[in-house]
Each structure stands twice: as C-alpha cells, then as structure tokens.
Amino acid sequence: MTLLERDREAPSAWKGSLPVTSRYTYGLAGERFFRALKDEGKILASYCPKCDHTYVPAVNFCERCLSELTEWQDAGLVGVLHTYTLLFVDFEGQPLDEPELIGFISFGDGGIIHKLDANPDELEIGMPMKAVLKPQKERSGSILDIRCFQPVNK
Amino acid sequence: MGMRKVAVIGAGMTKFVRRALETPKELSWEAAKMALDSCELTMDDVDGVCFGTAPDAFDGVHMNGEYCSDGAGAWNKPFMRCFVGGGTGVFVPIQGWYHVASGLFDVVLVVAEEKMSSYYPHAQAAFLTIFDHTTERPLKPNLLWIFALEMNRYMTTYGIRKEDIARVSVQHKRNAANHPCALLGEANITVEDVLNSEVLAWPVQRFDVSPVSDGAVALVLAAEHVAKRLTDKPVWIEGVGWHLDTAYWTNRDLAYPRYVEYAAKMAYDMAGIKEPRKEIHIAEPYDPFDYKALHHLEGLQLAERGKAIELYLSGAAAPDGDLPICPSGGLLGVGNPIAAAGLMKVAELFWQLRSEAGARQVPGQPRRGLAQAWGDLMQVGTVIVMGR
C-alpha cells in the first residue's frame, strides 16, 4: 500500500459537490524516502557513482546521466545552514505576530528547505543544523514529519 | 530548402495505466532512459531535449515542463517544452525534427508525458476553463458535449450508422490486445459490447471514448550522418505539417476537419506524396473517440468524405489489410495519456517500419507510415510522415 492511500481521514463517500483537486503519488523514490523518514526517522540520500553526485531528498534516477540510482544511504539528521530568511508577512500579505525563520539546510549536493527553531542573532551561515522530528506515532510520511531544524549546540 | 535529413533511431515507452505510482518526473525518466538504451546512446550524446505535455492541470504542477525536465534529461541542455493540447504528442517530434533539420543539433531527445490521474475527481474538470468564460462556461460544458455534437453532425451529414462506427473501437481495442503497454486491449470485444456500454452524451458511449491514463514515451532523433553511423535501420522523418483552424468551435465545419487536411498537405508536399492512399502504407490517425479516427482519415485524404468507415467494413483497416489503421491499438486501446499518446503513435510507426512491432507487426514490410494528432481548442492538426 502506498503512503498516500494510507490516509484514513479520506472520506469513503461524499454528499453534494466534490471540490476539484490534485491527488499526487509519492512516486517510486518518494515512497522509499518518506517511509524511511516516518518509520525509521532517517533522511535518505541517493548517490550516483558515475557523476559523483548525492541527491537529498533521495531520488531514483540521476538527472545528469539518467542512470538508475541504487546506492541509497542514511544522510544523518545534521546538515549545514546554507542560507536563511526571516519572514515578517504571511502568505496573504498580513503581518506575522512573530517573525518566522526559514532555512536551506544542505545535505550532500542537495538539501532541504524547512522551518528553523533558533534565535536569528545566533544563526551563522555554515553552522551545523539538526532535524527535529515529530515523535514516531505522529509521523505520517510527510516533509512535516520534520518539525524544524535547530542549531546542533542548542 | 536546405534542410538536413532527420531519422528516428530509438524509442521507448512506459506502460499506459489508469493510475501510476511513478511521479511525472519518474515516468519521463523511464521512457527517456529506454529510448536512449534502445540505440545505445547516453546523455553525453544528446545536444538538446524537446518535451511535450498537455495542460499543466492534469499533472497538477504549474509549469509541468520545467518540473519534469530532470526526468526528460534536460539538465545542462537546451530544453524546449511545446504545448498544443492534444496535438502535442505529434508536435513534439516535429519540434525535435526542426532542431535537427535546421543544423542546430545533431541528436535530440524527444519526450512526452502525461499523468492524468492526479486530477481529482476526474481529469475532465481540467477542461472547465478552456471554454469562453462569458458565452459558454455558464452552461457548464465539457469536452464530451463537444464530441457528441460533432459526432452527431458527422453521422448525420454522411448517413453513417453508429453500429458501423463501433467497428473502429472494436478494431483498435483488438489491435491493442497485442501491445504490451496497453491499458484497454480486448481481443474478444464486439460491436454489441460497444453499443451496450454506458451512454455518456449521446451518441457517445463509454467504449466510443479512450480512457484517462498515465504514461510517457520518448524518441531519439539524429541527423543523417549520425543516424547512419549508429543504426542500419534509420526511420526517416519525410514530412511534417501542422495547421490551426478558427478559435471558435462553432465556426468550424464539424463534419470535416479542414485543419487536418492542411496539416497533411504540408507534410505530403514535403514528403513528395501525390497520392496518399497509395503511398501511405500504415496510418495512426488520432482516435480519442472512434468517430474521430474516421473524421481524421478523411482530413488526411486517406478516404473520401464520409467514406472512411468503408476501410473498416472492407477489412482494409485491419492489421492484415492494405491500409492498417492504428495497428498499435490507438488511444482507444493502448490508452490516452494525452501528449504521450500522440508520441506513442510515432513510436509505433518506428517499430512497424523497422519490423520490430512484435505480435502486432503488420505483414508486407510497410515502407511508409503516417501519424496524426489533434488538439488545442479542438482546432489544431499535427501530422508526421515517416519512411525507411
């Protein structure tokens, strides 16, 4: 069963009009990546030996040579702060009560964009950052199973 | 005209399925990789990538061409996405052709992908906004309406019976039974099955229509000097054509696709074809609906107006007939992941002309074939003629 179809909150029947929406599959790579995150609390990388290139989040083919990627490895939960921003307005242009930190945490040759839990004054580009995961019972196979990243020495 | 000769030298396709687990990127990659492997090339040999996908809404990703670009092999290459609706699948190899014919590139990878199952509850809703917001949309039209209105007009103009049109669906679905990637191959389907299927919008019934599907197809195109080095069996692109009719579907001749005629004439002139019915040996007209195959065969000058059905009634359209139509199984049988479905037809010509079509190989070693698609706001015709 795929991660998507495990959604038990999906209604089995619907009365009235049905909103038009998109239902995505996780894909071959996504099923493996998000299952590892959910069940084992791991962030997986995939490596192309031909191009010497590491993809995080892991993908199942190398976009450079189109080889299938079979070398998957645990990337660990600690990456490096590549850049960050501080948000003062929300999606709809309304001012936020508290500014929000968003960062790009690099892993391998790729990385993950996520929320940061830190004091903006203590952030330095290049510092190690650790993923804070939700407890396993609350994880659903989503990028939000990572609650945020925070400085390793916090 | 100073254009270089262009050959198709490799092809690959995924299975066409109702709902793929693969993401659009992964489907694109599977087809692209198969096409490259089939002619033993790598991305290092590819100069540019052409990618076709129909409305972004199906895959549910805005700018879907850019999103799928990694799967299509576009990293670090000149990359072009074309989009002419349903006509895309035959337009994207035309786009690849002119990049090679012009002398710009020697090798081009052509990929077409569609993942219609993402759209929920049904891909049909993706078409809601193609209609005029003021004059048409308040009536909540969908594409089935348009086809039902056109089919009725076509049948009435020429006095064609519905049970005869059903033969098209039967022939194509039976052909598809021999296609390893087909979604709706049915070796034993009958005219009665078609006539007994659910009425969707009279005269269109369930089995008159191709299914919503997911899939991808890819081709490798090469300039003559490269093609001759790489294969003993190049399949040459001899002619291409495309043409647009009025944007008002109410101002078109619904009984005769003028846009297909003009697109075909462009392709025939380029290929030096004077008598298409004699010089085309297999045809893959676009068949999202059974009557549409007939409609298009007439526009392609492969039958007189109102007479295309005779090709089916006489057996000429069968795989062992003198003009096999949709030996692949067409959209009605193999499936209809929009852009991928059109390119599937071109891939079918490649396999048939090389005598590599397996169980669905037509006899007689056909020398020349034609593929055609149709789309945009139901008014574009795209045509490609290939020969060995």
Side-chain angles (χ1 to χ4, degrees), chain B residues 124-125 127-128 130-131 139-147 201:
Chain B
Q124 189 62 239
F127 295 111
L128 283 175
I130 71 170
F131 296 96
L139 293 165
K140 299 187 181 172
N142 66 45
L143 282 187
L144 285 169
W145 283 31
I146 307 262
F147 299 125

Side-chain angles (χ1 to χ4, degrees), chain B residues 55-173:
Chain B
D56 289 348
F58 287 144
D59 290 49
V61 180
H62 190 52
M63 298 180 69
N64 193 38
E66 289 68 20
Y67 167 75
C68 289
S69 62
D70 55 342
W75 175 77
N76 229 10
K77 309 277 182 195
F79 176 69
M80 297 128 283
R81 181 240 181 134
C82 73
F83 169 51
V84 288
T88 302
V90 173
F91 189 75
V92 66
I94 293 175
Q95 187 188 43
W97 167 84
Y98 59 65
H99 280 101
V100 179
S102 64
L104 191 61
F105 302 136
D106 284 341
V107 176
V108 166
L109 179 61
V110 172
V111 185
E113 177 276 344
E114 214 77 57
K115 186 166 181 184
M116 300 173 75
S117 66
S118 304
Y119 214 68
Y120 185 78
H122 193 282
Q124 189 62 239
F127 295 111
L128 283 175
T129 52
I130 71 170
F131 296 96
D132 186 280
H133 43 74
T134 316
T135 60
E136 293 170 341
R137 243 188 268 174
L139 293 165
K140 299 187 181 172
N142 66 45
L143 282 187
L144 285 169
W145 283 31
I146 307 262
F147 299 125
L149 291 164
E150 190 178 72
M151 181 172 175
N152 190 12
R153 185 72 198 171
Y154 175 70
M155 288 167 59
T156 306
T157 301
Y158 301 115
I160 304 170
R161 304 185 312 161
K162 228 179 100 54
E163 51 266 48
D164 287 340
I165 292 180
R167 302 263 303 238
V168 175
S169 185
V170 167
Q171 181 72 65
H172 294 195
K173 288 176 191 290

Side-chain angles (χ1 to χ4, degrees), chain B residues 207-230:
Chain B
F207 290 1
D208 293 313
V209 194
S210 56
V212 166
S213 337
D214 298 347
V217 180
L219 301 180
V220 181
L221 308 190
E224 184 176 15
H225 67 285
V226 178
K228 285 187 167 165
R229 201 174 70 224
L230 293 173

